[in-house]
Amino acid sequence: MDYYTIIQKPMDLQTIRENLRQKKYQSREEFLADVNQIVENSNLYNGPKSSLTVAAQRMLNKCVERLGEKEERLMRLEKR
């Protein structure tokens, strides 16, 4: 398998889920960076037009959208 020779920083949903469960993310930006890493890796390995890359980009967009919807509430909670 050539995946690990092409992809220098592997990332997957299982790792993200585990990081969330263990509260490893210090910020929303760290979380989004890992989601974006999946998009970048798919783009590099599968190509920008691949259905996998398109799905990964859709997932990133949904994460950004959902965090944006919750931004005000999250900021209030962080001030506590």
Side-chain angles (χ1 to χ4, degrees):
M1 186 171 185
D2 61 347
Y3 184 80
Y4 294 104
T5 59
I6 295 170
I7 300 302
Q8 300 301 310
K9 188 177 176 195
M11 182 52 60
D12 59 78
L13 292 174
Q14 189 69 27
T15 299
I16 291 174
R17 185 169 78 178
E18 190 61 23
N19 288 345
L20 285 167
R21 194 181 69 73
Q22 294 181 13
K23 298 178 178 13
K24 287 189 175 180
Y25 294 115
Q26 299 296 309
S27 68
R28 294 179 293 284
E29 290 76 18
E30 284 183 23
F31 165 74
L32 289 174
D34 277 355
V35 176
N36 187 62
Q37 190 65 54
I38 291 174
V39 176
E40 290 182 17
N41 290 350
S42 183
N43 188 42
L44 182 62
Y45 190 77
N46 301 306
K49 302 227 185 272
S50 164
S51 61
L52 295 171
T53 304
V54 171
Q57 184 64 56
R58 222 179 280 134
M59 177 183 65
L60 174 61
N61 293 345
K62 182 55 88 174
C63 288
V64 170
E65 177 186 322
R66 294 290 299 199
L67 286 172
E69 291 170 2
K70 306 290 184 197
E71 185 72 25
E72 188 177 314
R73 182 169 180 264
L74 289 169
M75 286 173 60
R76 278 199 312 271
L77 290 171
E78 287 173 346
K79 287 182 182 176
R80 292 182 179 178

